[in-house]
Amino acid sequence: MAESSAATQSPSISSSSSGADPSAAGGGGSPGTSPALGAKSCGSSCAVHDLIFWRDVKKTGFVFGTTLIMLLSLAAFSVISVVSYLILALLSVTISFRVYKSVIQAVQKSEEGHPFKAYLDVDITLSSEAFHNYMNAAMVHVNKALKLIIRLFLVEDLVDSLKLAVFMWLMTYVGAVFNGITLLILAELLVFSVPIVYEKYKTQIDHYVGIVRDQTKSIVEKIQAKLPGIAKKKAE
């Protein structure tokens, strides 16, 4: 009887173990897709992160130098002049290279074809699906910005609106000293210098930032306690 019961139980055990295999395989297959999704979601944000943290010194140096020269040019000349000079410089390089290659081909009697043929054949058309994806992503940010503007200007939170008022009041003094191009130049210098400095001195900076954050939080709490509308709202 024991042998017969063991024999009857063994098929059920084997069938349950065989039934578990697909689920195990499916469970093992799902993590395999996560790195691809993670790499896809990383995208441009990872490229910007690597750029401002100087992971590739040559690439970051080229971007930083080019944008800084453009901003300095805009500070000295008008936008029309800067754009015109850039287009003329680019055309001078491409036309000179095209003429040079044509002369070389004529002398050597070779038929290499157009020197920029590889770039002319590149498909740079934007599909409607990609366009709609970009527009949807942009609309998300636009809607968030509109909600934030309405929230601040219609004083949903008095403290946040006061913060905006104080910030704008300080910006009037900044605008009296600097113009927009100067602020953009300073912003670029900060973007390409602060992250690498923070990465190097992270512990010390976090310590002092924590102290400032605690002091600011205590001041805001004191202000909120003295405002009757805010205190009543928090009590509810």
Side-chain angles (χ1 to χ4, degrees):
M1 294 292 293
E3 293 178 356
S4 61
S5 61
T8 55
Q9 290 177 359
S10 60
S12 62
I13 296 173
S14 61
S15 61
S16 62
S17 61
S18 62
D21 290 336
S23 62
S30 57
T33 58
S34 59
L37 292 174
K40 185 177 180 180
S41 62
C42 183
S44 59
S45 61
C46 292
V48 173
H49 179 273
D50 294 340
L51 192 68
I52 63 176
F53 279 90
W54 296 79
R55 298 293 184 245
D56 188 346
V57 178
K58 292 182 179 180
K59 184 178 180 181
T60 303
F62 174 77
V63 173
F64 174 68
T66 304
T67 52
L68 185 60
I69 290 172
M70 283 200 55
L71 290 174
L72 291 173
S73 301
L74 290 172
F77 306 100
S78 65
V79 177
I80 297 175
S81 298
V82 172
V83 173
S84 300
Y85 281 124
L86 286 175
I87 294 175
L88 283 173
L90 182 60
L91 284 174
S92 299
V93 173
T94 53
I95 292 173
S96 300
F97 186 73
R98 172 69 192 278
V99 172
Y100 168 76
K101 294 296 290 185
S102 299
V103 171
I104 293 297
Q105 291 176 17
V107 171
Q108 296 179 352
K109 296 182 179 181
S110 60
E111 296 181 357
E112 295 180 1
H114 199 286
F116 299 116
K117 182 174 175 53
Y119 299 100
L120 291 171
D121 294 338
V122 174
D123 186 14
I124 58 173
T125 56
L126 183 65
S127 63
S128 59
E129 182 180 357
F131 176 78
H132 287 302
N133 290 334
Y134 288 127
M135 289 300 298
N136 291 332
M139 287 303 298
V140 171
H141 297 290
V142 170
N143 291 330
K144 287 182 179 179
L146 290 175
K147 288 181 180 178
L148 180 61
I149 291 171
I150 293 173
R151 177 174 171 272
L152 290 173
F153 282 94
L154 298 183
V155 198
E156 180 181 356
D157 191 332
L158 181 59
V159 175
D160 290 340
S161 298
L162 288 174
K163 289 179 183 178
L164 178 63
V166 172
F167 178 74
M168 290 294 106
W169 176 68
L170 293 175
M171 289 302 293
T172 59
Y173 290 95
V174 174
V177 179
F178 305 105
N179 57 21
I181 297 298
T182 306
L183 291 176
L184 288 176
I185 293 172
L186 293 175
E188 182 179 7
L189 294 174
L190 291 175
V191 165
F192 283 95
S193 60
V194 171
I196 191 68
V197 173
Y198 175 75
E199 188 179 39
K200 189 175 182 180
Y201 303 101
K202 185 177 185 299
T203 304
Q204 296 90 330
I205 294 174
D206 286 343
H207 173 69
Y208 291 110
V209 168
I211 294 174
V212 174
R213 187 185 293 115
D214 293 338
Q215 294 292 331
T216 305
K217 185 178 180 182
S218 63
I219 293 172
V220 171
E221 288 177 353
K222 290 179 182 178
I223 295 174
Q224 289 178 344
K226 293 181 180 180
L227 294 174
I230 303 297
K232 184 179 180 182
K233 185 178 179 181
K234 291 180 67 177
E236 292 176 354

